[in-house]
Amino acid sequence: MRAVVIRQGELVVEKMPVPEPGEGEVLVKTIACGICGSDLHLLKHGQDMMETVRNLGAEPDSLDDGLVMGHEYVAEVVSYGPGCRQEIAVGSRVCSVPFLLKDGVPVSIGASTKTTGAYGEYFLLTESMLLPVPDALTTEDAALTEPLAIALHAVNQSVKAPEATAVVIGCGPIGMAIVALLMRNGVERIIASDPSSGRRELAGMFGAAVIVNPLETDLWSLVSPGESVVVFECSGRPGMIADIVVRAPMKTELIVTGICPGEDNFIPMLAVSKELVFRFVSFYEPGEFAEALDILASGDVNWAQLVTGKVGFDDVPAAFERLTTSDKDAKILITPEV
């Protein structure tokens, strides 16, 4: 099979064996897979991330072994391994949380050399974790299940929403999905901030009441000192948390989803004196993943607006470049048939 592989810090298309499904496993064929911001980070900062893992006392993957990314996927069931119940018909579309159970231990799909992700034509899933994609749901929308689940988990962590003013910093796919979910939950005042004109336009389409270019407008001038505020920090920009600690009103709730590549800092005494509440969120509960699929299937939000491009395997390196330089792209899908 063909696969896009990280090899010595570069993306290359290689031929590799089709994996064989083991006990309780399913061989699936990639139909569509989103390029995630964490994929961009892994390519650019992979070695530093592995060093952080080593410093935490764990044994990191060796990226020199070749890593096949891809964890935002819709796939087609091809065949079952031994011990499977085979309740979902071969040829059906499925998605799942991006982990493969190995001896009961979850192994990351798309971020580990121990598995193959959906940047390959075929990969393995655990049967017990499969979710069938509803017939009425488009493949493009279904491919947004994983990032929408992250946004849903972030929104679910907020105690202040929906009554508070919501400030969303960084309108990539996760930030955009948070805006849409806040709007769906009845939040009346959503302020979205992003330097990209294309992403600001999308934020307005998804329900942001106030849209800010932080390079031209002081975001915090739009928030009164006594206002009840929840901030969703989705940019991962170094220094952003420190700025929020300084500028945000008293008792602001801060939900952090953006991954800052490296160390960051803030003034604890200031955060304490303002009684700020911090929540750092990652991934989601399995029930939230299933709920995200149901939300997409409900059709009450035009999620397809998030998809700004589709590419085949050969054009993935160019798509990575687009996502780091373009001010118009949000989510680019890899579709092997392109």
Side-chain angles (χ1 to χ4, degrees), residues 169-229:
I169 299 175
C171 293
I174 301 299
M176 209 84 69
I178 287 174
V179 169
L181 289 170
L182 291 169
M183 179 68 176
R184 192 174 185 268
N185 290 354
V187 178
E188 294 184 357
R189 189 165 190 250
I190 304 170
I191 302 173
S193 173
D194 197 289
S196 162
S197 60
R199 291 181 176 181
R200 290 197 305 275
E201 181 179 352
L202 274 175
M205 294 166 68
F206 276 111
V210 182
I211 305 163
V212 177
N213 180 350
L215 303 179
E216 298 176 353
T217 303
D218 178 13
L219 163 65
W220 298 107
S221 68
L222 305 174
V223 178
S224 63
E227 197 166 350
S228 179
V229 174

Side-chain angles (χ1 to χ4, degrees), residues 121-264:
E121 288 183 291
Y122 298 91
F123 61 106
L124 298 177
L125 295 175
T126 297
E127 183 192 34
S128 62
M129 300 167 73
L130 294 183
L131 291 175
V133 174
D135 291 340
L137 185 60
T138 68
T139 293
E140 290 76 11
D141 280 5
L144 301 173
T145 304
E146 205 275 344
L148 181 58
I150 291 176
L152 179 62
H153 182 62
V155 170
N156 286 345
Q157 297 308 299
S158 174
V159 174
K160 288 198 167 193
E163 288 79 14
T165 291
V167 176
V168 180
I169 299 175
C171 293
I174 301 299
M176 209 84 69
I178 287 174
V179 169
L181 289 170
L182 291 169
M183 179 68 176
R184 192 174 185 268
N185 290 354
V187 178
E188 294 184 357
R189 189 165 190 250
I190 304 170
I191 302 173
S193 173
D194 197 289
S196 162
S197 60
R199 291 181 176 181
R200 290 197 305 275
E201 181 179 352
L202 274 175
M205 294 166 68
F206 276 111
V210 182
I211 305 163
V212 177
N213 180 350
L215 303 179
E216 298 176 353
T217 303
D218 178 13
L219 163 65
W220 298 107
S221 68
L222 305 174
V223 178
S224 63
E227 197 166 350
S228 179
V229 174
V230 53
V231 177
F232 294 89
E233 203 304 281
C234 308
S235 72
R237 180 174 162 233
M240 185 58 73
I241 293 176
D243 185 65
I244 293 169
V245 168
V246 172
R247 304 295 306 282
M250 290 281 295
K251 300 184 184 297
T252 287
E253 180 183 53
L254 172 61
I255 313 291
V256 180
T257 68
I259 301 174
C260 178
E263 294 185 0
D264 210 341

Side-chain angles (χ1 to χ4, degrees), residues 21 24-28 77-81 84 123-127 130:
E25 295 177 348
V26 186
L27 178 68
V28 298
V77 174
V78 175
S79 64
Y80 286 92
C84 288
F123 61 106
L124 298 177
L125 295 175
T126 297
E127 183 192 34
L130 294 183

